[in-house]
Amino acid sequence: MMRVEYPRPQFMREKFLVLNGEWSFAFDDENNGMEERWYRDSEVFTKKIQIPFVYQSVLSGVDDRTVHDIVWYRRVFEWKKNSGKRVFLHFGAVDYQADIYVNGLYVGRHIGGHTSFSFDITHFLTDDHQSIVVRAWDPHDDETIPRGKQFWEAESRGIWYTNSTGIWQTVWLEEVDDAHIEKIEFTPNLDEGNVLLAVTIPKQAVGCTLRYSIFFKGTLICEDQAALLNPCTKRSVDIYNEKIFRTNFHDHGWTWSPEQPNLFDVHLELIVDGEVTDEVSSYFGMRKIHVEDGMTFLNNQPYYQKLVLDQGYWPEGLLTAPSDDDFVKDIQLAKEMGFNGCRKHQKVEDPRYLYWADKLGFIVWGECASAPIYTAGAAAKLTQEWVEIIERDYNHPSLVTWVPLNESWGIPDIHLNLQQQSFSRSMYNFLHALDTTRLVISNDGWEMTETDVCAIHNYSHGQKEEVKKYRYFKDSLADVKGLIQHPPGKWATFAKGHHYKNQPILLTEFGGIGYELGGQAGWGYTSVDNEEQFLDDYGRIMDAVYSSSALWGYCYTQLTDVEQEINGLLTYDRQPKVSLEAIRKINDQYHPERIFIGQEEK
């Protein structure tokens, strides 16, 4: 199975070459490859692997779960050089450090296992036959690396899953003119009815002309051109043009929401001396998210978020979806159950997933993998990954919240440790400094510092017969005081010196009902034996959540089983454990007075 779709749907060109498929492959357990110059030696690559799947996965064709910290890849292909053109080699993601060689020459290094990167390889190419070699280093026992749920031991257990090493997203090639568009950013201003376009070009292209066209559902609404006199040029475009039905919230207007995922298509052309040198297709959504008076607002209306925790693992591909259709399936199944979004947990998801969330209408909370411990080095590594995350995913309207830290992972002493508190506050302010269009949660779960949302985790609902546990769970959710002052376990809701400031409160992890189906042994936070018990327990838990007058949304644990965790609403291979309609009925029957979706209050 090979992933062949265009990997960067927010910035599309017509001509590209996907390099997924069979590559030559080798383990380097003795770390001899650099000294022996494997980047020039094809004979050492004795294995074969299917890219973009990691060697630990079934779909890679290697299917080896043993630890190999250093792996090498080699791919030979034909590509004819064109004069006056530049060739970029793109990697969706390589975990963790990648060194790239083209035709035996060193091109560069990227550090960080979750974000995309590119190299201009124009001057490394030969006339026709090309060779790419990648050395990936992923030290499994380095606890300063943001690794999320990837386990450092040979066998998965608890909340930890199979490690992923090396290339795990698409590798591809793209040819552009010397004068080309490097980047486009869209910043919608819902209140003013305009969108800010920020276009970046290389210095040698300064003086060219940008022509752009904006369409809504196939109808041209704006067309203009601008001289690009600087490497970065900004233009504000009036979208609404004082048309009432474009802004009227009672019939959804032209805004983006899970209920009406309206998108604007954009076509951009770069023109030099009357000739088009580059063409790019993109899109954006008119979407605003903010908090006010203890509530969350989407497009200036109160919005109750019904999220599901999604860890983005697949049984045969691990972190890599087997196909583009698998992203669509996950979103559609969640929507069929009445969820309007997800929290991507401890993973930076493939841009193709975000594209489908934009298209289908599905809120996403973006979260990066955490490091297990705190050091200055670990803090620096995480910060750098977030720079690249926001740069890559800035334009996606479905992304409404950033979650830089989770459950004090990587900041274990934050309650009293002023240095770790400073890091939490710094991440909150840093992400807002990079991105003004989204909310930021400083430490999802507990021990928060500065935060836009008070995000609380609570799995203390117990089994059906554990009346005392359930009473505590329900009582603690009843009002703001109960939620803030009586969190479960040993963790305070806020770190010492910080306190609740009337932020909207969301229960962002709870549930986790374990239900074994198909012989998959494992664990959940509670357990049931059949579908009837599952629905009864789910209804019992959701009754407590929806009866709360303090909560403004939730994130249920979780969408699917993952390896030994069998607490999903779906099995690991995406089979429903219970009736999707029954789950939806439970999700839909509460708090109708709080659901505002751009129409009259239901």
Side-chain angles (χ1 to χ4, degrees):
M1 183 179 294
M2 188 171 79
R3 295 281 300 275
V4 297
E5 65 281 351
Y6 192 86
R8 192 178 57 189
Q10 267 282 358
F11 194 82
M12 292 187 63
R13 292 187 174 98
E14 287 188 0
K15 294 181 180 180
F16 63 99
L17 175 65
V18 169
L19 295 175
N20 291 340
E22 186 175 88
W23 288 48
S24 299
F25 183 69
F27 295 127
D28 187 9
D29 296 338
E30 302 301 321
N31 193 18
N32 294 325
M34 296 293 289
E35 183 178 353
E36 297 175 0
R37 299 184 181 184
W38 286 11
Y39 47 89
R40 295 182 180 176
D41 184 1
S42 61
E43 294 183 0
V44 298
F45 294 90
T46 58
K47 301 179 184 296
K48 301 294 183 183
I49 188 170
Q50 293 293 322
I51 298 299
F53 303 101
V54 295
Y55 79 80
Q56 294 95 334
S57 71
V58 173
L59 289 175
S60 72
V62 181
D63 194 17
D64 183 347
R65 300 295 176 99
T66 56
V67 173
H68 301 279
D69 285 351
I70 303 173
V71 297
W72 290 72
Y73 305 83
R74 184 173 186 268
R75 171 71 187 266
V76 178
F77 62 99
E78 292 187 7
W79 181 277
K80 187 174 178 60
K81 289 179 63 175
N82 291 314
S83 60
K85 299 291 185 179
R86 309 202 72 79
V87 178
F88 285 88
L89 176 61
H90 301 278
F91 292 85
V94 182
D95 199 356
Y96 171 73
Q97 176 179 295
D99 289 287
I100 313 301
Y101 300 82
V102 173
N103 295 319
L105 300 175
Y106 184 65
V107 174
R109 170 178 291 176
H110 179 264
I111 298 175
H114 309 94
T115 50
S116 304
F117 60 97
S118 304
F119 291 106
D120 183 343
I121 62 170
T122 306
H123 301 301
F124 297 88
L125 298 176
T126 63
D127 289 336
D128 44 23
H129 295 287
Q130 319 299 339
S131 167
I132 295 174
V133 172
V134 178
R135 178 187 185 267
W137 175 55
D138 184 25
H140 72 281
D141 58 354
D142 185 345
E143 296 186 13
T144 68
I145 288 177
R147 63 177 62 255
K149 291 298 193 79
Q150 297 186 50
F151 204 19
W152 49 89
E153 295 183 7
E155 298 293 331
S156 301
R157 61 183 168 89
I159 62 170
W160 308 100
Y161 316 134
T162 302
N163 190 42
S164 291
T165 298
I167 299 171
W168 67 278
Q169 288 185 26
T170 291
V171 184
W172 54 294
L173 214 62
E174 193 171 41
E175 185 179 76
V176 298
D177 196 276
D178 282 338
H180 63 277
I181 301 170
E182 290 185 338
K183 185 172 67 170
I184 176 73
E185 281 188 357
F186 302 103
T187 304
N189 186 328
L190 193 76
D191 298 328
E192 299 295 329
N194 57 48
V195 62
L196 181 67
L197 278 64
V199 180
T200 303
I201 57 174
K203 288 183 179 180
Q204 66 267 21
V206 169
C208 65
T209 299
L210 174 74
R211 183 163 59 212
Y212 58 90
S213 305
I214 300 176
F215 301 83
F216 183 72
K217 297 183 178 180
T219 299
L220 179 67
I221 64 166
C222 177
E223 188 172 49
D224 204 352
Q225 63 182 38
L228 303 184
L229 305 180
N230 297 287
C232 183
T233 301
K234 297 181 179 181
R235 286 289 183 273
S236 179
V237 180
D238 186 357
I239 296 298
Y240 295 153
N241 289 311
E242 300 181 356
K243 302 290 185 181
I244 183 63
F245 290 113
R246 298 179 182 181
T247 60
N248 191 334
F249 294 115
H250 290 279
D251 63 2
H252 302 292
W254 284 9
T255 58
W256 184 96
S257 71
E259 294 72 30
Q260 292 290 326
N262 294 314
L263 296 173
F264 294 82
D265 295 311
V266 183
H267 185 73
L268 303 108
E269 295 178 335
L270 206 60
I271 303 169
V272 178
D273 297 330
E275 297 291 329
V276 175
T277 63
D278 194 17
E279 292 186 67
V280 171
S281 296
S282 188
Y283 66 89
F284 67 90
M286 293 297 288
R287 187 268 298 137
K288 176 185 176 182
I289 185 82
H290 79 284
V291 298
E292 185 180 340
D293 296 330
M295 298 183 293
T296 306
F297 287 75
L298 180 64
N299 302 332
N300 291 328
Q301 295 188 86
Y303 196 85
Y304 193 90
Q305 296 181 70
K306 299 180 177 183
L307 311 181
V308 62
L309 195 75
D310 183 355
Q311 312 216 44
Y313 272 77
W314 287 265
E316 295 184 330
L318 299 179
L319 286 174
T320 309
S323 73
D324 198 48
D325 290 339
D326 288 285
F327 293 138
V328 177
K329 182 177 182 180
D330 278 7
I331 294 171
Q332 288 178 335
L333 287 169
K335 287 176 71 77
E336 284 182 42
M337 289 185 282
F339 297 103
N340 54 28
C342 75
R343 175 182 164 211
K344 276 288 177 179
H345 189 39
Q346 288 298 295
K347 180 190 180 186
V348 182
E349 192 53 275
D350 190 306
R352 295 292 307 184
Y353 179 93
L354 299 175
Y355 164 75
W356 285 113
D358 295 339
K359 294 279 287 185
L360 299 173
F362 201 57
I363 283 173
V364 180
W365 286 18
E367 182 177 344
C368 183
S370 297
I373 63 171
Y374 184 85
T375 67
K381 291 171 184 175
L382 183 64
T383 302
Q384 180 55 41
E385 293 224 18
W386 273 103
V387 172
E388 297 182 11
I389 290 168
I390 291 178
E391 182 176 5
R392 191 197 76 173
D393 295 338
Y394 182 85
N395 289 335
H396 290 285
S398 59
L399 273 166
V400 299
T401 302
W402 295 125
V403 185
L405 297 165
N406 170 71
E407 289 187 346
S408 301
W409 292 12
I411 44 171
D413 303 316
I414 188 175
H415 187 67
L416 297 174
N417 187 296
L418 297 182
Q419 183 183 24
Q420 294 179 22
Q421 288 187 13
S422 294
F423 180 59
S424 172
R425 290 195 304 271
S426 296
M427 289 301 294
Y428 170 82
N429 289 311
F430 181 59
L431 298 193
H432 272 305
L434 297 179
D435 183 358
T436 62
T437 69
R438 293 175 174 91
L439 307 180
V440 179
I441 298 174
S442 65
N443 184 20
D444 203 291
W446 48 70
E447 296 179 322
M448 284 163 276
T449 54
E450 294 298 320
T451 187
D452 294 326
V453 174
C454 181
I456 296 174
H457 298 180
N458 191 337
Y459 290 100
S460 65
H461 42 76
Q463 303 281 158
K464 183 178 181 180
E465 64 275 8
E466 294 178 295
V467 178
K468 289 184 179 180
K469 283 187 178 181
Y470 181 67
R471 182 178 298 130
Y472 165 79
F473 175 74
K474 188 168 185 177
D475 290 348
S476 68
L477 300 183
D479 53 33
V480 171
K481 183 178 180 181
L483 281 161
I484 302 302
Q485 297 185 1
H486 302 288
K490 62 181 180 181
W491 301 280
T493 302
F494 285 88
K496 188 175 181 180
H498 298 80
H499 60 277
Y500 178 63
K501 298 178 180 178
N502 198 35
Q503 300 98 330
I505 303 174
L506 276 75
L507 185 64
T508 52
E509 281 192 37
F510 70 104
I513 303 168
Y515 178 22
E516 178 183 334
L517 200 65
Q520 175 63 42
W523 67 275
Y525 291 93
T526 59
S527 61
V528 296
D529 296 322
N530 54 55
E531 180 175 349
E532 182 181 359
Q533 290 180 4
F534 190 106
L535 291 173
D536 186 58
D537 219 32
Y538 186 82
R540 177 179 67 94
I541 295 169
M542 293 307 299
D543 179 65
V545 171
Y546 281 127
S547 64
S548 171
S549 61
L551 289 175
W552 201 251
Y554 59 80
C555 179
Y556 179 83
T557 303
Q558 62 182 328
L559 180 63
T560 75
D561 293 348
V562 184
E563 298 192 349
Q564 68 278 357
E565 282 193 45
I566 55 168
N567 50 26
L569 294 162
L570 311 171
T571 63
Y572 199 9
D573 61 356
R574 277 47 178 184
Q575 300 303 311
K577 291 186 176 182
V578 299
S579 163
L580 301 183
E581 181 58 36
I583 294 294
R584 184 183 188 96
K585 185 177 180 181
I586 294 171
N587 285 345
D588 283 354
Q589 67 180 322
Y590 300 102
H591 266 329
E593 73 278 4
R594 285 191 174 182
I595 305 303
F596 291 74
I597 55 174
Q599 57 187 13
E600 294 294 342
E601 186 176 332
K602 288 188 177 180

